[in-house]
Amino acid sequence: MFRKTTAPQNIQGNLRRILATNLIQFRKEKNISREELAFRCDISTRQIENIELGKCAISIDTLEKLSQGVELNVAFLLKE
């Protein structure tokens, strides 16, 4: 479904990089802004930005909100 995109290479942690790549690709394919994604996920735009840049570790609760907001399974968000 998603093509590989380039997330920043300096992201620490493989899962952070995978999540960042999948979120960026989701936004591109759906043509939605970070603001719209934040609204859908009920989290801040700044947090979406930080997740996409791999600057923060997120909680299970935030991962669940992302999953619900993008209407994708958590496993899919973390799939390479």
Side-chain angles (χ1 to χ4, degrees):
M1 175 188 252
F2 293 141
R3 294 180 307 276
K4 292 290 181 183
T5 60
T6 55
Q9 295 302 311
N10 60 348
I11 294 177
Q12 292 183 351
N14 193 40
L15 287 178
R16 282 190 199 180
R17 185 176 34 73
I18 292 167
L19 178 60
T21 300
N22 288 341
L23 281 178
I24 292 166
Q25 187 60 41
F26 172 82
R27 284 196 317 100
K28 285 182 179 181
E29 291 208 357
K30 300 296 183 181
N31 195 31
I32 62 172
S33 66
R34 282 182 176 156
E35 292 80 12
E36 174 63 23
L37 183 58
F39 176 78
R40 289 181 185 195
C41 299
D42 192 31
I43 59 178
S44 72
T45 302
R46 175 63 95 190
Q47 190 167 11
I48 293 291
E49 178 181 5
N50 287 336
I51 293 167
E52 288 186 351
L53 294 174
K55 290 184 175 182
C56 65
I58 63 170
S59 69
I60 295 293
D61 293 338
T62 300
L63 186 58
E64 183 177 32
K65 285 182 179 184
L66 286 170
S67 174
Q68 292 170 351
V70 298
E71 298 177 345
L72 294 172
N73 187 295
V74 169
F76 190 80
L77 287 175
L78 299 175
K79 185 177 179 181
E80 233 175 328

